[in-house]
Amino acid sequence: MSIAALIFDVDGTMADTEETHRQAFNAAFLLHELWWDWSRHQYTELLRTSGGKERIAVYIDSLPLPNAEKKRLKGLAHLVHDTKTRIYGELIGDGRAPLRPGVARLLREARAAGVRLAIASTTTSANAEALIRAQLGGEARHWFEVIACGDLVPRKKPAPDIYTRALGMLRLPASACVAFEDSLNGLAAAKAAGLYTVVTPNFWSAAQDFSAADLVLHSLGDADAPLDAGSAKRLGAPFLSLARVAELHAAALRGTPA
Ligand code: XBP
Ligand code: MG
């Protein structure tokens, strides 16, 4: 098999978690008596900035406040973000963000085939592990040989740093791996790191440009959640199996149609 490892983004790719992030941000703002309340529309725009702390800073910059006040508020961003991460972990722990169709299946197929698994995410490792624990059980943390997250690297997506770091930790070349993403920032990061990239957009990223992706599907699909007819026809299968990913990846390496 041409693939040695699958590298998954977390938020939006493994599960639709951004609504829970948004609720956790708003709850943290309330606890810190910051009368901010990010609507879904605002959050869709704010998601163009990867990283919760960075997103708070961009929001502060957008407020009609004196620079000194902006500086004071930015000094609080880490504390507010820590509160948000605590709240997010509690919310995710109740199972509210199920894995998207096909994610659990593809993970199982990879494990059965000896294909290694990794995570490359902008969120914190605490958040990534909370989702894995809630949806796959505590043991599943060990399915992922590498969990490369958040502040492990200086530059967040769309910079390639987190993918480059994950590849280094795996000791694998980009050509031997496939990335799974949901957003333009994530796609840009994975492609800049040289990875064959499958994109499954979601509510928050639906309007973004995924023309640089190697494959775009509305989800990975499953036997009980098959892809729509158009996607299945393009893919040549009712859902994206590991075997089909390997065929597409190998063809891309050869520069021939799959
Ligand atoms: C998506 C992000 C994260 C989350 C919020 O990460 O950009 O910032 O929106 O999580 P991914 P934090 O790369 O998994 O799509 O508040 O922990 O940043
Ligand atoms: Mg994502």
Side-chain angles (χ1 to χ4, degrees):
M1 177 173 290
S2 62
I3 302 174
L6 303 183
I7 306 178
F8 282 85
D9 163 57
V10 175
D11 294 308
T13 300
M14 290 184 74
D16 282 324
T17 53
E18 290 297 354
E19 175 56 17
T20 304
H21 279 297
R22 185 182 74 90
Q23 292 173 13
F25 277 113
N26 287 335
F29 297 153
L30 217 51
L31 281 176
H32 286 273
E33 298 185 343
L34 296 165
W35 313 117
W36 307 334
D37 185 40
W38 289 350
S39 69
R40 285 192 176 84
H41 176 70
Q42 269 178 308
Y43 196 59
T44 302
E45 287 309 306
L46 286 164
L47 271 173
R48 294 179 188 282
T49 301
S50 288
K53 293 189 291 294
E54 294 79 359
R55 198 166 300 146
I56 294 172
V58 164
Y59 176 70
I60 290 168
D61 277 336
S62 74
L63 297 174
L65 295 170
N67 286 340
E69 177 60 3
K70 287 184 180 181
K71 189 163 182 259
R72 185 189 74 82
L73 289 169
K74 283 183 186 177
L76 291 173
H78 271 72
L79 189 64
V80 175
H81 190 251
D82 286 348
T83 303
K84 175 262 174 184
T85 299
R86 176 176 56 76
I87 295 168
Y88 176 82
E90 290 163 8
L91 294 176
I92 279 293
D94 76 7
R96 66 180 57 210
L99 297 182
R100 294 186 64 185
V103 170
R105 172 184 53 75
L106 198 56
L107 292 175
R108 281 197 302 272
E109 287 178 14
R111 283 168 52 76
V115 171
R116 298 154 70 186
L117 294 172
I119 278 174
S121 169
T122 304
T123 193
T124 60
S125 51
N127 288 347
E129 292 180 18
L131 178 72
I132 292 166
R133 192 167 43 250
Q135 295 302 329
L136 293 167
E139 264 314 293
R141 160 70 187 79
H142 306 295
W143 297 0
F144 299 88
E145 193 175 318
V146 164
I147 296 190
C149 280
D151 294 335
L152 198 60
V153 292
R155 299 181 308 164
K156 290 188 165 78
K157 300 173 184 177
D161 302 29
I162 198 69
Y163 277 105
T164 307
R165 175 61 70 90
L167 290 168
M169 293 165 80
L170 287 165
R171 291 189 173 76
L172 286 172
S175 58
C177 303
V178 171
F180 295 83
E181 270 289 352
D182 72 298
S183 69
L184 180 55
N185 278 349
L187 171 61
K191 293 311 291 181
L195 287 153
Y196 182 96
T197 304
V198 178
V199 174
T200 51
N202 53 49
F203 163 78
W204 305 96
S205 63
Q208 294 176 359
D209 173 9
F210 297 119
S211 49
D214 295 283
L215 179 64
V216 182
L217 295 170
H218 70 77
S219 84
L220 299 178
D222 244 335
D224 59 358
L227 297 172
D228 61 275
S231 301
K233 188 163 183 291
R234 271 188 299 119
L235 182 65
F239 53 81
L240 186 62
S241 65
L242 179 66
R244 190 61 183 134
V245 177
E247 285 170 359
L248 293 165
H249 173 256
L253 288 181
R254 290 192 307 269
T256 60

